Amino acid sequence: MPDFALTEEQRSLQDLARKFARTEMAPRAAECDRLGRFPEEVMRKAWELGLMNLNIPAEYGGSGLGLVDQCLIVEELAHACAGMTTSVIANCLALEPILLGGSEEQRRSVLSSFCSSYHLASFCLTEPGGGSDAGALQTRARRDGDHYVLDGEKCFITNGPHASLYTVFATTDPALRHKGICAFYVPRDTEGVTPGKEEEKMGHRASSTSTVRFERARVPVAQRLGAEGDGFSIAMRTLDQTRTPIGALATGIAQAALDHAAAYSLKRQTFGKPIAEHQAIQIKLANMAQDVHAARLLTWNAAWEIDQGRKGTLESSIAKCYASDAAMRVADEAIQVFGGYGYMKDYPVEKLLRDAKLAQIYEGSNEIQRIVIARELLRPYA
Amino acid sequence: MEIVVAIKPVPEGETRLRPNAAQSGFDPDGVKFVLAGYDESAVEQALLLKESIPGSRVRAVSFGPGPRTEEVLRAAIALGCDAATWVEHPVDLLPDAVLSARAVAAALAASPPELLICGRQSGDEESGVFPGAVGAVLGVPSLGYAVNLRWDPTTARLTLQRSIEGGLESVETALPCLVGLQQAWNDPRTAKLPNILKSRKAVIEKIPWEQSKAALGRHASPTSVRRQFRLPAPRTGARMIPYDSPADAAQKLVRALREEAKVFP
């Protein structure tokens, strides 16, 4: 039988994240959402407490947490604000390629600096012309002596305007498709690197998103991760690691929606009694609770698989896909429980629906996840 | 200098406590124990002093049953305490403040601290007896309701402020002494994630109950015994008095207060 009990250490990490979420994130969530404001002060404080570079091993000054531990933290943070959480965990996504594909020297020089002082990094894979079809990316990397010259544009880049380092995927020859892709790390102050204007988004409005342009940006060969052509594999293995925490983020949104709906249902009266005493509402709450519970357990299961040293491709795709779909359903029902008030911005639940939507799209759309799930599940039957 | 800070694990403020089967105390099952506000302030003060006095260190000490006591001591280490002593007792002992004071004093007797800091009262029972009682057992002066401790190395004296009616009283004292801290005047810090991980591996000195019992002799049992732990009776509902006019409402209310509730003669 699997053991679902958390260790005291895991409880302490969860407590830390919960306290941070309640005292630092939640009080600013509505305002940052309304104004589309990036909460620099929250980000810095998250870094100070060690909540930012969760996946960086202790030898480089990070916390070196396993994926189960990371998921516990991410769920708590997302309960308060999914947008801020996306920005807090963006470093994990951006630095994972360096962990996976970097040489010891590259890891030491880059990762240590992120642990010794506050910096943000951004993962630059998606392009205006395609997200899911990463093999078709168009950003060019032309070799010129001991440099590569990068040209192209990346879009939907989390923390783009605030990052001091970009991990960039570019191709030496688009005709080679996957086999032509290389991974680089590119400091923002490299000439020819320009983050674009911040996007106006439906949800995750506390998170900052922009394009990043590369125009004749000269990047030393020493900043290439792995060999020429390793880029696609580095990107996919990175997403294998970071997909599961998106399940945790979606679980946090769903739990928040359930918490708000349950508390409100006990206060709001219709027909002479709290609406929680009407079966119509009870059934909604019961379905929401099932979704939240299943999302959490699928996420823990995927994280545990990967912590055991297995790839966990099937499990992490199921977790990300299920949890984000569940977050949409639960947030939707929470609004319904709130009725007209749920549609008003003065109440917290409409934000949850807008935030949940992104979890179905980013880090591999749920359509891509289903393709992966189908491929993996059919394998034993073939 | 070694600064000792005495702390107590108490149920988290939001916990809904239930009486245990014997109704002698609360049922600890599912209860989350934390450092209470006064103790958080005490730990913060100890750490601020440590940071201002080169070569000093902070030891946290707590008298209580496992696993909750070990957990709050680890929390104190994660916040920055250098060492911790767990004075253990069985979970069913239910000590009072005087026994707690004696047990902590006995544990510290081998090397009595120059400065002992604690919250001015615990976060659960709030009797406020412990600080004075430890001071009395150790034979050192105790100062309660304190804030803003500062150590002056040239005069080797401690200055602090005490909350008194309508203001603050400034006090200067020599060591050794014991100080009971006011709550949350100093914005207690949050433990950082790497320190939480490190605190899990820290070695905690443990004094078994048998050892404390031997040291305390005939004082090894609570002086006051809690006989019952019950939830308050549920309040009965309010009664609405229907009325036609404000004058009518006043008349009916006064009649009900006089004739039914018998508030007036």
Side-chain angles (χ1 to χ4, degrees):
Chain A
M1 265 301 277
D3 182 358
F4 295 105
L6 301 182
T7 64
E8 287 298 340
E9 177 175 299
Q10 288 171 325
R11 282 182 200 283
S12 305
L13 297 176
Q14 204 177 36
D15 284 349
L16 168 67
R18 186 172 297 160
K19 186 174 172 192
F20 182 78
R22 283 185 191 176
T23 59
E24 304 294 333
M25 295 169 69
R28 295 172 172 88
E31 187 205 328
C32 288
D33 177 62
R34 190 173 70 248
L35 303 176
R37 184 175 80 79
F38 180 75
E40 177 87 23
E41 69 284 6
V42 174
M43 300 292 289
R44 284 185 180 275
K45 194 138 194 201
W47 179 85
E48 278 167 31
L49 289 174
L51 290 168
M52 198 169 273
N53 302 309
L54 300 172
N55 57 339
I56 298 186
E59 54 195 296
Y60 306 116
S63 313
L65 295 184
L67 219 41
V68 172
D69 296 357
Q70 290 184 41
C71 285
L72 294 173
I73 292 172
V74 170
E75 184 190 326
E76 292 301 331
L77 300 182
H79 190 284
C81 181
M84 291 183 203
T85 307
T86 288
S87 274
V88 168
I89 63 176
N91 271 18
C92 295
L93 172 64
L95 299 176
E96 187 73 30
I98 298 170
L99 262 177
L100 291 173
S103 65
E104 181 56 29
E105 197 188 327
Q106 289 172 327
R107 291 173 173 204
R108 196 160 295 281
S109 74
V110 180
L111 301 179
S112 307
S113 71
F114 277 83
C115 297
S116 60
S117 55
Y118 169 79
H119 296 292
L120 299 180
S122 295
F123 179 81
C124 302
L125 176 67
T126 300
E127 298 185 352
S132 296
D133 186 7
L137 61 80
Q138 296 296 317
T139 296
R140 292 296 294 266
R142 292 187 185 81
R143 184 76 183 250
D144 179 18
D146 53 0
H147 281 73
Y148 285 91
V149 181
L150 265 53
D151 278 289
E153 187 175 31
K154 298 291 181 177
C155 71
F156 309 144
I157 305 306
T158 300
N159 295 350
H162 303 273
S164 60
L165 187 90
Y166 301 107
T167 41
V168 184
F169 297 85
T171 177
T172 53
D173 180 2
L176 291 174
R177 286 192 48 92
H178 310 87
K179 295 188 179 112
I181 297 175
C182 303
F184 304 92
Y185 62 92
V186 182
R188 185 221 182 107
D189 55 17
T190 306
E191 204 173 320
V193 178
T194 328
K197 75 163 184 66
E198 293 201 27
E199 304 286 358
E200 276 288 337
K201 301 190 298 297
M202 169 187 178
H204 285 238
R205 291 176 51 79
S207 178
S208 169
T209 313
S210 75
T211 54
V212 180
R213 283 194 67 80
F214 299 88
E215 284 172 294
R216 292 186 296 283
R218 293 179 65 80
V219 177
V221 173
Q223 287 169 208
R224 190 187 68 213
L225 300 166
E228 214 168 78
D230 282 356
F232 188 78
S233 150
I234 290 172
M236 293 304 116
R237 284 186 290 139
T238 294
L239 295 172
D240 278 343
Q241 289 291 320
T242 56
R243 193 177 298 121
T244 313
I246 302 305
L249 177 138
T251 306
I253 298 172
Q255 180 70 59
L258 175 57
D259 288 347
H260 286 304
Y264 183 77
S265 73
L266 290 166
K267 278 190 302 196
R268 171 73 172 169
Q269 304 242 349
T270 62
F271 304 102
K273 57 188 178 184
I275 59 171
E277 290 178 25
H278 298 306
Q279 278 195 349
I281 300 298
Q282 289 179 356
I283 288 166
K284 280 190 198 303
L285 294 173
N287 288 339
M288 291 159 79
Q290 292 177 55
D291 260 344
V292 172
H293 215 71
R296 181 176 296 118
L297 292 179
L298 287 169
T299 300
W300 286 10
N301 173 239
W304 179 83
E305 276 290 326
I306 294 169
D307 281 348
Q308 301 310 301
R310 294 187 280 272
K311 272 188 79 182
T313 307
L314 175 72
E315 291 83 356
S316 62
S317 285
I318 290 178
K320 189 268 180 188
C321 190
Y322 185 89
S324 52
D325 286 348
M328 276 299 281
R329 286 193 294 269
V330 177
D332 183 26
E333 284 292 59
I335 295 174
Q336 198 66 21
V337 170
F338 272 72
Y341 291 116
Y343 200 65
M344 299 298 137
K345 291 208 171 198
D346 283 343
Y347 288 78
V349 284
E350 57 82 32
K351 171 181 185 289
L352 298 173
L353 186 77
R354 291 185 284 109
D355 286 348
K357 186 63 210 173
L358 184 58
Q360 291 182 311
I361 299 171
Y362 72 170
E363 300 238 7
S365 71
N366 282 7
E367 290 69 31
I368 289 287
Q369 304 304 337
R370 286 185 168 87
I371 291 170
V372 173
I373 293 165
R375 191 182 64 208
E376 292 291 318
L377 80 87
L378 288 171
R379 212 186 289 280
Y381 299 95
Chain B
M1 186 199 304
E2 183 171 79
I3 303 160
V4 171
V5 57
I7 57 176
K8 178 182 184 182
V10 299
E12 191 182 36
E14 295 169 12
T15 316
R16 290 192 186 181
L17 296 178
R18 297 176 310 271
N20 59 17
Q23 295 212 322
S24 61
F26 63 83
D27 179 0
D29 188 37
V31 174
K32 192 171 154 203
F33 289 90
V34 295
L35 263 183
Y38 296 104
D39 288 1
E40 274 191 320
S41 294
V43 170
E44 179 65 23
Q45 177 62 82
L47 295 173
L48 289 173
L49 277 176
K50 171 185 137 171
E51 285 156 9
S52 72
I53 309 172
S56 60
R57 60 201 302 274
V58 177
R59 171 179 296 273
V61 57
S62 186
F63 177 55
R68 67 183 84 149
T69 310
E70 186 185 337
E71 287 308 315
V72 294
L73 287 170
R74 290 204 187 278
I77 290 173
L79 287 166
C81 293
D82 303 282
T85 302
W86 174 15
V87 189
E88 183 237 352
H89 72 65
V91 69
D92 55 358
L93 179 71
L94 306 177
D96 63 347
V98 174
L99 173 58
S100 302
R102 287 189 201 279
V104 168
L108 297 173
S111 54
E114 284 178 276
L115 177 59
L116 178 64
I117 299 177
C118 53
R120 73 158 162 95
Q121 65 189 47
S122 64
D124 52 359
E125 289 171 336
E126 301 187 322
S127 74
V129 174
F130 178 84
V134 181
V137 179
L138 287 173
V140 297
S142 50
L143 294 152
Y145 302 92
V147 296
N148 205 12
L149 275 61
R150 295 200 197 286
W151 172 250
D152 183 345
T154 49
T155 59
R157 289 171 91 82
L158 190 73
T159 60
L160 54 87
Q161 269 101 48
R162 301 182 66 219
S163 304
I164 55 170
E165 204 164 339
L168 287 175
E169 171 187 57
S170 290
V171 177
E172 186 184 295
T173 176
L175 298 183
C177 84
L178 178 145
V179 181
L181 258 284
Q182 276 289 40
Q183 182 173 3
W185 59 279
N186 55 12
D187 192 15
R189 67 194 71 187
T190 303
K192 295 179 180 177
L193 193 149
N195 297 341
I196 291 174
L197 297 178
K198 271 185 232 154
S199 76
R200 302 310 311 176
K201 300 184 184 85
V203 179
I204 290 179
E205 180 196 19
K206 183 175 165 185
I207 297 179
W209 174 236
E210 291 309 314
Q211 190 181 326
S212 300
K213 227 160 87 172
L216 295 171
R218 68 191 172 83
H219 293 304
S221 58
T223 334
S224 62
V225 179
R226 191 192 301 138
R227 300 180 67 99
Q228 271 191 343
F229 181 94
R230 278 191 300 193
L231 298 179
R235 279 187 288 185
T236 50
R239 177 159 66 91
M240 298 303 291
I241 300 174
Y243 60 90
D244 300 325
S245 65
D248 179 42
Q251 200 161 37
K252 284 177 173 161
L253 176 62
V254 169
R255 185 175 297 137
L257 288 171
R258 178 182 281 157
E259 293 172 9
E260 296 170 37
K262 300 198 193 309
V263 178
F264 314 122

